[in-house]
Amino acid sequence: MHRTAEQHHPIDRLYRSLQPEDTRTAVSVIVKLRGETCDIDCPHCYEKRKEVPGGARISADQIGQLARLFRGRPLAVELHGGEPLTAGREAITEVLRELAAQPHVVRVSMQTNGVQLDAAWLDLFDKLYPQLQIGVSLDGDAQGNAWRVGYDGRPVYPQVAAALQLLAERNRKVGVIATVTPAVLGRAEQVLDHLAAFEAVNAVSFVPAFDSAIRRSTTVRARRIPASRLLQQAALAEGSGPAWAIHPDEYAEFVLAATAHWIDAGHFTRLKLEPAVSTIRRLRGLGSGFCHFSDLKCDHVFTLYPDNRFGSCDELPWPQARLAQLDDVTGQDGLASLQQGNLLLNQGKSLMAECAGCDYRSTCGGGCIATRWRQDPAADGDAYCDYRMRMVDGIAALLAQPAHPEGARCQTLRWHPRTPNSIRDVNTFTARWDDPAATRAEARLHASEHGNINTVGLPGVHEADDLDPAHPKWREAIETGVWPLVDALTTDWGLITYDSCQGHQYGGLDLDPAGLRVGLLPRDRAEYARTAAALCRAATAAAPALPGGIDVRVARSELTCETTGATVPVLDIGLHPDHRQDWDAYFADLDTAARALAAALTAENPTGTACACPLPDPATAEGAVAG
């Protein structure tokens, strides 16, 4: 087994500042064609909460200014609103022609509510910008769209469904953004099936209504209050947050249920699902174009309004996110300077700095700053971060054991990769483990003065030969303090261990202490599911007998085969000091804790896939995750 300690990522790996000299990294500009003007009046619309009257239109000249500002850099443009189609055909024709003429514009998309979308609009898009990517806002099925209404208070679902049918007839593929409100909670499977049934839909992004901080309704300037605003006022009547808002815990369970069904129903073959896909990519060590999971956050996302207000992401609070009038921005150097002097962006970057020491930073990516602020951290503490971790843990479980989605509800097993984490040849190692007659090479065993057993006899992390119980030096290769756990897991449970460590304090050396742990390599997904559930049960059983300040950590991770480069899901179990415990106290109590954990492992066995975690509340449970 070969491993070195992972170093913390600096802040620029989580939140990258705009570098004017960087001509390769794209920026995104959200172009508010009509500001907040819209032909419908959804109570949960964040744009209308800015209370800045629209009415004007973005011009082709303003598009040209944007292109000159970001000259030489890839530019992605999203036509947005309010509702962009309210700008009218003449204005949109000029804008699309200007965008088509710009060589550095690499992508143009439009987010629409779909109410006005008809054959004439699609003809226009096909003629002027055939590669235009269309996104439609639709909160699932008819029931889920209870908050997506016209000024008369009536849901606009029928018109949007008709637009999706038209798009299918024109062989257009679109993505759907669906807001997760209480109207869809508990129905992830039905909602996803409904959206997937639209032939035109090839992507679904579920976004949360984390609006607990909202306490007042949007100002009404008209003499007569429309039915939609009365609906909004009623939703805020109790003063405890709007009725359309959900808690991060509810969103996490919805996403996990949707992801489990996306896998089980085979929707993954034709439908991209967010935030599942970005989470999976980050779990696999790949990048994501979704800013919630990447380092290209608020300093690389801009918004332009018809009155030339120019600032950062439209989801951030305005006017605080405003940087300048577009006419006053002379170049990217000036733009970077404006960002550096913006209080809101600096506060956001400081918020991201808290993520630098988090174990989930490489998978979560820090999330969305605007969403974190909307969630009202004063009231909910770490609820946003807790949901992100819960989502990562659950999706990691679904990837490792897709036939047993109940593993996603386990809250004992956490995603905790050790990077790098590898052995020479996974297939050869597992085959040899199960073949007592196989040839076994001589082992290179040397012990350090701190008790480490490896090929060089030095403290710290070094190469160790991959042995199995049939090797004549198997027992000699296992450090004494961890042997009872290894013996229980290999002899009683019949599992493969690929790594173990009894824990080392390294007094007097410039090395971080190491905790006790054992790494397990399941032979297949079924054994993985059984083992994960049994580890949860054993950890739960051992907890009351552990000395105070020491916890059992059961972790999901991946092991890399150095021969093929492939990765396989693995499990780790170990003992770690909690936040109250220092390492001296940990090592003083480690033998007692190890005996308690070994006893719990001996009393347990890897059968069945039910873990020790309580079942979800039936009132809010997501059936696909509960299995």
Side-chain angles (χ1 to χ4, degrees):
M1 183 269 176
H2 315 278
R3 186 177 67 89
T4 60
E6 181 185 9
Q7 301 299 314
H8 284 174
H9 295 294
I11 184 61
D12 61 1
R13 295 293 297 274
L14 289 165
Y15 186 119
R16 200 188 318 177
S17 298
L18 183 72
Q19 301 296 328
E21 67 277 6
D22 179 4
T23 59
R24 300 179 62 184
T25 302
V27 296
S28 299
V29 180
I30 301 161
V31 175
K32 298 286 187 178
L33 286 180
R34 291 293 305 284
E36 60 86 36
T37 299
C38 190
D39 49 357
I40 65 175
D41 196 37
C42 309
H44 59 328
C45 176
Y46 65 82
E47 187 62 45
K48 291 193 177 185
R49 288 200 293 268
K50 297 173 187 176
E51 297 185 352
V52 179
R57 293 169 172 79
I58 291 283
S59 69
D61 288 342
Q62 289 171 294
I63 299 296
Q65 282 182 275
L66 280 178
R68 289 189 293 274
L69 173 60
F70 294 110
R71 182 181 291 111
R73 180 193 288 269
L75 177 61
V77 174
E78 181 175 356
L79 305 177
H80 209 276
E83 170 52 44
L85 295 184
T86 62
R89 287 180 172 78
E90 182 178 344
I92 290 182
T93 294
E94 293 177 359
V95 166
L96 289 178
R97 281 176 174 161
E98 183 64 31
L99 287 168
Q102 298 299 333
H104 295 292
V105 172
V106 294
R107 185 178 72 252
V108 178
S109 59
M110 174 182 287
Q111 189 65 32
T112 174
N113 60 39
V115 171
Q116 294 190 33
L117 201 59
D118 59 15
W121 275 118
L122 295 179
D123 288 342
L124 183 71
F125 300 155
D126 288 342
K127 177 182 178 181
L128 298 176
Y129 211 104
Q131 65 271 40
L132 176 71
Q133 299 177 10
I134 299 175
V136 175
S137 299
L138 185 69
D139 299 343
D141 56 11
Q143 180 182 338
N145 279 267
W147 297 102
R148 194 166 289 282
V149 299
Y151 287 90
D152 58 3
R154 296 180 180 178
V156 296
Y157 172 84
Q159 298 98 300
V160 185
L164 289 173
Q165 180 62 38
L166 174 62
L167 286 160
E169 293 169 2
R170 299 288 291 264
N171 295 316
R172 278 270 191 174
K173 296 298 181 183
V174 300
V176 166
I177 293 180
T179 304
V180 178
T181 69
V184 299
L185 292 180
R187 303 190 304 111
E189 304 94 336
Q190 300 97 302
V191 169
L192 184 59
D193 284 343
H194 185 84
L195 293 172
F198 287 106
E199 186 181 339
V201 175
N202 67 356
V204 174
S205 180
F206 287 120
V207 299
F210 289 166
D211 289 340
S212 61
I214 297 170
R215 291 292 184 271
R216 67 180 185 86
S217 59
T218 309
T219 300
V220 179
R221 292 180 173 81
R223 191 177 300 177
R224 182 177 179 181
I225 301 177
S228 54
R229 298 300 171 91
L230 293 174
L231 179 64
Q232 185 188 63
Q233 291 172 9
L236 287 158
E238 296 185 5
S240 58
W244 65 77
I246 62 170
H247 190 274
D249 288 346
E250 295 174 314
Y251 179 62
E253 296 308 318
F254 182 90
V255 168
L256 292 177
T259 304
H261 188 63
W262 177 67
I263 295 170
D264 184 60
H267 291 318
F268 67 90
T269 61
R270 57 165 292 267
L271 193 76
K272 179 182 178 182
L273 181 67
E274 289 289 6
V277 168
S278 287
T279 304
I280 291 168
R281 289 186 62 83
R282 294 305 298 258
L283 285 166
R284 293 284 183 254
L286 303 172
S288 169
F290 191 1
C291 62
H292 293 199
F293 290 84
S294 83
D295 57 351
L296 299 180
K297 297 190 184 296
C298 307
D299 279 18
H300 287 78
V301 180
F302 301 91
T303 305
L304 175 64
Y305 283 90
D307 60 2
N308 254 14
R309 280 177 294 138
F310 187 69
S312 190
C313 175
D314 65 334
E315 292 198 44
L316 288 168
W318 281 66
Q320 299 95 315
R322 178 184 173 276
L323 296 172
Q325 292 297 104
L326 181 61
D327 294 334
D328 296 333
V329 183
T330 57
Q332 292 184 53
D333 287 308
L335 186 56
S337 179
L338 288 167
Q339 288 177 328
Q340 293 161 14
N342 183 273
L343 177 61
L344 185 73
L345 292 181
N346 286 326
Q347 289 173 333
K349 190 172 292 188
S350 296
L351 189 64
M352 289 299 305
E354 298 174 8
C355 301
C358 177
D359 290 341
Y360 288 78
R361 63 193 175 277
S362 62
T363 43
C364 165
C368 171
I369 291 171
T371 309
R372 291 172 75 170
W373 275 328
R374 278 204 302 274
Q375 179 44 40
D376 193 5
D380 289 297
D382 296 327
Y384 182 85
C385 294
D386 290 345
Y387 116 68
R388 299 282 292 182
M389 292 186 283
R390 177 82 186 91
M391 182 175 68
V392 169
D393 292 338
I395 291 178
L398 291 172
L399 288 178
Q401 50 183 91
H404 301 279
E406 63 268 28
R409 69 173 176 84
C410 178
Q411 298 192 42
T412 299
L413 275 72
R414 311 296 296 269
W415 174 253
H416 189 82
R418 290 188 278 134
T419 307
N421 190 34
S422 66
I423 63 174
R424 192 73 63 202
D425 191 320
V426 171
N427 291 334
T428 299
F429 176 60
T430 55
R432 186 173 65 243
W433 187 286
D434 291 328
D435 182 6
T439 301
R440 286 163 172 82
E442 182 64 27
R444 299 166 295 170
L445 302 180
H446 300 279
S448 78
E449 60 182 10
H450 290 81
N452 308 81
I453 299 176
N454 50 48
T455 61
V456 291
L458 294 175
V461 179
H462 296 279
E463 182 181 5
D465 287 334
D466 302 317
L467 306 187
D468 62 88
H471 195 286
K473 291 190 176 181
W474 164 248
R475 174 63 188 88
E476 186 181 341
I478 308 300
E479 295 168 1
T480 302
V482 76
W483 169 252
L485 278 72
V486 172
D487 189 39
L489 291 165
T490 56
T491 303
D492 300 337
W493 289 29
L495 300 179
I496 298 174
T497 58
Y498 72 92
D499 176 39
S500 64
C501 175
Q502 69 179 10
H504 305 285
Q505 195 163 12
Y506 299 131
L509 298 181
D510 187 22
L511 290 172
D512 291 334
L516 179 147
R517 68 171 185 278
V518 180
L520 298 167
L521 173 58
R523 295 171 175 84
D524 53 40
R525 286 173 167 174
E527 184 176 89
Y528 181 104
R530 295 192 301 270
T531 303
L535 290 175
C536 173
R537 298 192 300 266
T540 302
L546 295 179
I550 296 183
D551 292 333
V552 180
R553 176 189 285 174
V554 189
R556 303 184 193 273
S557 185
E558 287 189 335
L559 181 68
T560 299
C561 176
E562 296 170 1
T563 301
T564 65
T567 60
V568 293
V570 292
L571 296 160
D572 287 353
I573 185 167
L575 293 166
H576 293 260
D578 70 13
H579 66 279
R580 303 166 296 173
Q581 185 82 294
D582 62 29
W583 283 103
D584 288 339
Y586 169 83
F587 282 104
D589 292 332
L590 182 57
D591 285 346
T592 300
R595 286 194 298 271
L597 179 55
L601 291 171
T602 301
E604 185 57 75
N605 62 77
T607 57
T609 58
C611 73
C613 297
L615 290 171
D617 182 346
T620 58
E622 296 290 353
V625 172

